[in-house]
Amino acid sequence: MKRLFILVEGQTEESFVRELMTPYFMQKGVYDVRPVLIQTSKGHKGGFVNYEHLKNDLLRLLKSQGQDVIVTTFVDFFRCPDLPNQKKIDALSSHINKVEEMERSIAEDINDWRFIPYIQLHEFEALLFSAVNGFEMYFEDETSKKIQEIIDSYDNPEEINNAPETAPSKRLLRIIPDYDKVIYGTIIALEIGLPKILNRCPRFRAWTDSLIQRCIER
């Protein structure tokens, strides 16, 4: 059984891993799951604005651990900083092709079998469009109705456009002007429940399944 470290870019993702992913992993037989905030400078953590910060943390984690560990990332595609092979990434037109190439580029740069890169398409808030019940719990009916209209427009929440004006977080801010990711992100996700998120978001599920498989394999 391997330990799992998930390098995250913010407090919301850190809380999401602890509150939703860790109990799910434990049900699957993975008992040691640790979210780790990216270190942006000495004494400061959180945010993904520079690839070198992420790389340094990944290499430091991998170097400090043995062979019984799996390390992964949980960062957003939307506004992701430049990565290795950025020109090749920019030349691709499809968002899914871009994010897959980004993950390949990071994997090649880190070059460690214990590392599984993951970039959320298009950003964390896409997961919140898996179901409306989280919003129904905390906001007015008119707000939930607008959220449901967006949910109904996409078979897969991860396909919600990442343009500045149509990214999932921007849509939420237009509907809920005082939306705060740190305050609402995890509590909305908890109301939705991880099973619904896994059911609606295939890339997120594939990543989760791959982590479980790698952690339990001998």
Side-chain angles (χ1 to χ4, degrees):
M1 179 63 60
K2 296 180 178 66
R3 295 168 292 136
L4 176 61
F5 289 81
I6 304 178
L7 202 59
V8 299
E9 65 175 278
Q11 294 177 354
T12 303
E13 290 83 0
E14 181 184 34
S15 176
F16 182 86
V17 170
R18 284 204 180 106
E19 300 294 329
L20 283 91
M21 296 185 72
T22 296
Y24 179 78
F25 280 121
M26 292 182 68
Q27 292 174 8
K28 302 297 182 179
V30 182
Y31 299 107
D32 192 347
V33 182
R34 310 182 195 185
V36 180
L37 276 167
I38 296 171
Q39 183 169 309
T40 55
S41 61
K42 189 173 182 179
H44 294 83
K45 295 182 178 180
F48 181 31
V49 296
N50 187 312
Y51 172 64
E52 290 303 314
H53 295 155
L54 178 68
K55 180 177 180 177
N56 290 340
D57 282 356
L58 287 171
L59 294 177
R60 183 166 49 248
L61 261 178
L62 290 164
K63 184 177 180 179
S64 67
Q65 304 300 318
Q67 299 300 299
D68 65 334
V69 67
I70 296 296
V71 177
T72 189
T73 53
F74 185 21
V75 297
D76 292 345
F77 171 71
F78 184 50
R79 291 181 175 166
C80 186
D82 286 352
L83 302 177
N85 299 321
Q86 189 62 43
K87 288 185 179 180
K88 183 177 181 181
I89 294 166
D90 291 339
L92 299 170
S93 57
S94 164
H95 291 153
I96 186 65
N97 290 342
K98 282 179 182 287
V99 79
E100 288 174 351
E101 183 59 37
M102 291 163 77
E103 290 172 347
R104 277 193 294 270
S105 296
I106 298 174
E108 290 174 1
D109 192 43
I110 300 302
N111 191 28
D112 192 307
W113 68 270
R114 297 171 296 168
F115 173 55
I116 301 175
Y118 178 70
I119 298 173
Q120 178 62 47
L121 186 68
H122 286 94
E123 58 181 340
F124 169 82
E125 278 81 2
L127 304 177
L128 303 183
F129 285 96
S130 296
V132 74
N133 50 302
F135 296 93
E136 290 175 335
M137 177 64 67
Y138 299 105
F139 301 101
E140 297 178 355
D141 290 346
E142 185 62 27
T143 296
S144 298
K145 180 180 178 181
K146 292 177 180 177
I147 296 294
Q148 186 66 60
E149 288 173 355
I150 297 173
I151 292 172
D152 292 341
S153 300
Y154 292 88
D155 292 331
N156 174 2
E158 294 173 311
E159 294 177 351
I160 294 177
N161 197 322
N162 79 321
E165 69 278 5
T166 58
S169 59
K170 300 302 182 184
R171 292 170 186 253
L172 286 178
L173 283 170
R174 281 200 299 274
I175 297 170
I176 310 168
D178 61 347
Y179 170 78
D180 186 296
K181 179 178 180 180
V182 174
I183 295 173
Y184 292 115
T186 301
I187 62 172
I188 290 173
L190 281 166
E191 290 298 327
I192 295 169
L194 195 64
K196 287 182 181 178
I197 294 173
L198 292 169
N199 185 56
R200 291 295 311 281
C201 302
R203 284 197 87 252
F204 179 78
R205 178 169 196 124
W207 170 59
T208 302
D209 289 346
S210 71
L211 295 175
I212 292 169
Q213 182 60 37
R214 288 286 297 277
C215 286
I216 65 176
E217 66 185 8
R218 296 184 181 276

